[in-house]
Amino acid sequence: MDIAGSKKERHTVYLAVFTLLIVGVALMLSTWQMLRQQQEATMQHMALTAKSVLQAVDSSMRRGSSQMDRVRQDTREFFMTLEQNEDLLFVGILDPQGENLRARPPRISAEFSLPPEALAELQVAGRWQGPMTIGGTKAYVAAKRLLWPRFGRRPPDGPGPEPAPPPGGGPHGHGGGMQHGRDMQSLPPEKAPFLVVALDMEKHEAVYASFRNAAYFQAAYILAAMLLLWVLAVRFLSRRALAGKALFLERFQARLLDALPEGLLITDQEGVIRAANPAALAIFAPEQGGLVGTSLAALHLPLDTPSLAWRQHSLEGLALEVFHLPFQSEGGPSVMVIVRDRTRIRSLEKSLAEAEKLAALGTLAAGVAHEIRNPLSALRGFAQYFAKKLSGKEPEETYATTMVREADRLNRVITDLLYLARPRILHVAPVDLNSLADELEELLRFDLRDKGLVFNREFGVSLVRADRDTLKSALLNLLLNAVDALGAGADGSGPPRITLRSAPEGDGVLVAVADNGPGMCGEDIVQAFEPFFTTKGKGTGLGLALVHKTMREHGGEARIESSPGRGCEVRLLFPGESGETPSPPQGAA
């Protein structure tokens, strides 16, 4: 069976996926923002450091030099101190074209030069700083234009001999391009040299890289943990969905087995009933406590030999079909027994057989009635003629009168046969039982008076949906049978009486005719509705057959409840608005 998953659970999974996606994006953005801020902090630190070093070098050279080729001893020591700083890659003075004028020996093998965009910004703004690569080493460079007051003369801090410039023209014997002793004060600003400082960024980059790797690892770890939790949540929801489907199937199967019209019994390997559905309880009508825990053998079902076919079985008036199938369960070999109650079907099959019998009889009656009635009418006419002609002569008059009476009886038999043969169109409408009872009592007034019978009415329902004429004919037949039965005496429960009663029965109505006569035995009850069966000396055996046919035409049923010495009651069950025939009362025959 295909079962649809719960939309709520699917929405939960979708929400979990969306949440994980949002958290992952937020985590990546947060990591990127944190790394960007760290990188900005590193660059700000490098910028501040480079600016500080640049300013220190500039201040030192301002104090210690009045001419580019004269350097005091403290300036020279300052440059030597800078050389010992491992973070300093380069410090020097460049001309406006970027050529080295003076520089400390760099720790880089490549020739130092500023990029064109840096030189362009220095020419315009006089300052520039930023990262660049020097000989494969990443560095942070800061540069500014040298615009000293009275550039090229002795500073105002006191007279003294001008130190001789070292060989090569620069303070460290490196650089050149300007004549020694030249007064730089007369140079315009756009031709002033630039002081450049380059700091090593490798250590800072290493710290930043370790921080970045740690951040990446932390983000990946959190993301992996969330992904794992999401997978576990999806698995949990999937298991939960499967558990929900299993619970649904279990409840569905339980409801299905409870609603199963066939009785279902499950037994263990010892033959003890472990499960029974309501249909099984209804079929076997167990005592209080049910069937579970009792032995299957106590039900006397035909389970002696394994069979995969349905087997017929009769049990206390029930017509059953039994099917059993061994199977292997967790507790060992078990047996599943399915029991069908075919009693109702058998009753319908019997009714169908009776209907077929009546149809055959009707076909015969329809063919014979025409052939019999014409000569019968002639014989009756001649018998009446001779009865008048021979009036006063005995035994001729008696013979003629008997012929007329028997011809009338034979005509009634033919009429009843025709009623059995012809399909009738019923005009079903509400019938007032009180007015119908008045008419029946008037028809039977002389019979009731001559035999001293009491006629009672007990109407719990005053209206019944039926065809009035056929209902009147059926009740008249039943009342005549009761009058004949009481002619043999009552059962001793009081004066001879006939009771016409009605009562609601389910969705329909029960109409019954009861008497306190001698009653009927079981064999007579079984054959009572068959045509031509009678226990009367002069009966035709067609009265109850006509009643039975009338009830079938109404979609109802006729039943007899009687026992020898306890009277007899014929019950007519009329269907209600739903068209369903009411169930018979408990104990009905």
Side-chain angles (χ1 to χ4, degrees):
M1 176 181 293
D2 189 14
I3 300 177
S6 173
K7 292 184 179 179
K8 182 179 180 181
E9 294 174 353
R10 291 200 298 269
H11 291 166
T12 304
V13 174
Y14 297 153
L15 181 61
V17 173
F18 181 73
T19 303
L20 180 63
L21 181 62
I22 293 298
V23 172
V25 172
L27 182 62
M28 288 188 290
L29 291 177
S30 175
T31 304
W32 176 81
Q33 181 72 12
M34 183 172 56
L35 291 176
R36 188 177 63 83
Q37 292 176 355
Q38 180 66 22
Q39 190 175 25
E40 290 178 355
T42 301
M43 298 304 295
Q44 290 175 2
H45 172 71
M46 293 300 300
L48 182 61
T49 303
K51 186 177 181 180
S52 299
V53 173
L54 186 66
Q55 187 66 31
V57 173
D58 185 17
S59 299
S60 176
M61 293 181 67
R62 282 174 182 271
R63 290 193 306 269
S65 178
S66 61
Q67 250 183 333
M68 292 297 294
D69 56 353
R70 301 178 61 86
V71 181
R72 293 182 58 183
Q73 183 65 30
D74 55 351
T75 303
R76 187 179 299 112
E77 291 177 357
F78 176 72
F79 271 85
M80 293 177 63
T81 303
L82 290 177
E83 291 180 5
Q84 297 175 0
N85 190 349
E86 297 181 353
D87 291 337
L88 190 64
L89 289 178
F90 174 84
V91 59
I93 300 175
L94 306 181
D95 62 11
Q97 287 73 35
E99 300 294 335
N100 292 346
L101 294 177
R102 290 176 176 83
R104 66 177 288 270
R107 292 191 293 108
I108 53 179
S109 58
E111 181 69 20
F112 179 81
S113 62
L114 291 174
E117 59 270 15
L119 291 173
E121 187 172 347
L122 280 171
Q123 292 291 344
V124 176
R127 287 181 179 275
W128 178 84
Q129 62 183 21
M132 61 179 292
T133 301
I134 307 175
T137 303
K138 193 171 184 180
Y140 193 88
V141 179
K144 64 179 290 190
R145 179 183 286 124
L146 293 176
L147 296 174
W148 298 341
R150 298 180 61 82
F151 190 88
R153 295 187 179 187
R154 181 183 297 118
D157 53 354
E162 293 181 0
H172 301 284
H174 190 78
M178 296 185 67
Q179 295 182 358
H180 302 297
R182 181 181 176 185
D183 193 350
M184 302 294 292
Q185 188 178 15
S186 61
L187 293 175
E190 61 271 9
K191 293 187 177 181
F194 304 119
L195 178 62
V196 181
V197 173
L199 299 179
D200 189 359
M201 292 184 64
E202 295 293 336
K203 291 183 179 180
H204 297 280
E205 287 292 323
V207 173
Y208 172 73
S210 62
F211 175 79
R212 180 187 60 197
N213 294 336
Y216 284 159
F217 175 77
Q218 181 180 9
Y221 177 78
I222 295 175
L223 191 61
M226 292 187 61
L227 183 62
L228 178 61
L229 290 176
W230 177 77
V231 171
L232 293 177
V234 171
R235 293 291 300 274
F236 170 75
L237 291 175
S238 178
R239 292 288 183 87
R240 182 178 174 184
L242 290 176
K245 290 183 178 180
L247 180 60
F248 174 80
L249 279 176
E250 182 180 354
R251 292 179 177 175
F252 174 78
Q253 291 174 355
R255 293 288 182 88
L256 180 63
L257 294 179
D258 288 344
L260 198 66
E262 287 83 9
L264 178 64
L265 303 173
I266 303 295
T267 67
D268 58 14
Q269 55 185 349
E270 297 178 356
V272 178
I273 298 175
R274 294 303 178 191
N277 67 343
L281 299 178
I283 291 174
F284 295 103
E287 298 178 357
Q288 189 174 2
L291 291 173
V292 177
T294 62
S295 175
L296 183 63
L299 301 180
H300 305 291
L301 297 177
L303 307 177
D304 49 348
T305 58
S307 174
L308 296 180
W310 292 92
R311 301 182 62 180
Q312 307 296 324
H313 181 65
S314 296
L315 179 66
E316 297 180 357
L318 298 177
L320 305 179
E321 287 184 349
V322 182
F323 175 88
H324 69 287
L325 178 66
F327 68 97
Q328 190 70 25
S329 64
E330 295 181 358
S334 302
V335 177
M336 177 178 63
V337 181
I338 302 177
V339 182
R340 291 177 178 172
D341 186 0
R342 310 292 289 181
T343 307
R344 171 76 172 171
I345 302 241
R346 293 294 167 79
S347 176
L348 294 177
E349 290 174 350
K350 184 179 178 182
S351 298
L352 180 60
E354 293 176 355
E356 292 177 349
K357 185 187 298 184
L358 290 177
L361 180 62
T363 303
L364 177 63
V368 173
H370 180 71
E371 299 298 330
I372 293 180
R373 270 194 165 177
N374 288 335
L376 183 62
S377 298
L379 291 175
R380 186 179 184 280
F382 285 124
Q384 288 179 327
Y385 172 77
F386 286 118
K388 291 181 180 180
K389 191 71 172 176
L390 300 173
S391 177
K393 296 182 180 180
E394 292 296 341
E396 288 84 356
E397 182 182 4
T398 302
Y399 295 156
T401 304
T402 303
M403 290 173 63
V404 173
R405 186 171 60 251
E406 292 301 317
D408 291 338
R409 189 172 71 86
L410 185 57
N411 189 55
R412 287 195 301 270
V413 171
I414 293 174
T415 301
D416 291 341
L417 284 174
L418 289 177
Y419 280 146
L420 288 174
R422 294 172 182 170
R424 289 176 288 183
I425 299 177
L426 302 182
H427 301 281
V428 178
V431 177
D432 185 4
L433 292 176
N434 287 294
S435 63
L436 186 61
D438 291 340
E439 296 178 13
L440 293 172
E441 187 174 6
E442 180 63 25
L443 290 174
L444 298 174
R445 179 165 55 90
F446 295 106
D447 292 322
L448 296 175
R449 185 189 60 187
D450 293 344
K451 296 185 178 181
L453 305 180
V454 178
F455 183 74
N456 295 327
R457 306 181 191 183
E458 298 177 1
F459 292 150
V461 177
S462 59
L463 296 177
V464 61
R465 289 185 57 83
D467 182 88
R468 181 181 177 85
D469 293 337
T470 55
L471 176 59
K472 180 179 179 181
S473 176
L475 292 178
L476 181 60
N477 273 318
L478 295 179
L479 291 173
L480 288 174
N481 287 344
V483 170
D484 291 341
L486 289 172
D491 60 2
S493 61
R497 65 181 181 275
I498 300 174
T499 302
L500 177 61
R501 69 182 185 91
S502 67
E505 193 74 29
D507 190 32
V509 176
L510 167 68
V511 179
V513 175
D515 63 68
N516 62 342
M520 301 174 64
C521 64
E523 295 180 357
D524 292 342
I525 293 176
V526 173
Q527 301 178 3
F529 293 118
E530 295 182 2
F532 303 111
F533 175 81
T534 181
T535 57
K536 303 177 184 178
K538 296 182 179 180
T540 61
L542 295 176
L544 288 178
L546 287 170
V547 171
H548 195 203
K549 182 176 183 292
T550 297
M551 294 309 299
R552 283 203 313 273
E553 290 172 345
H554 280 81
E557 292 184 34
R559 298 190 181 100
I560 298 177
E561 182 177 0
S562 180
S563 59
R566 295 191 176 181
C568 178
E569 182 178 63
V570 181
R571 298 178 175 181
L572 308 181
L573 301 173
F574 289 88
E577 296 291 342
S578 64
E580 296 183 0
T581 304
S583 300
Q586 291 290 336

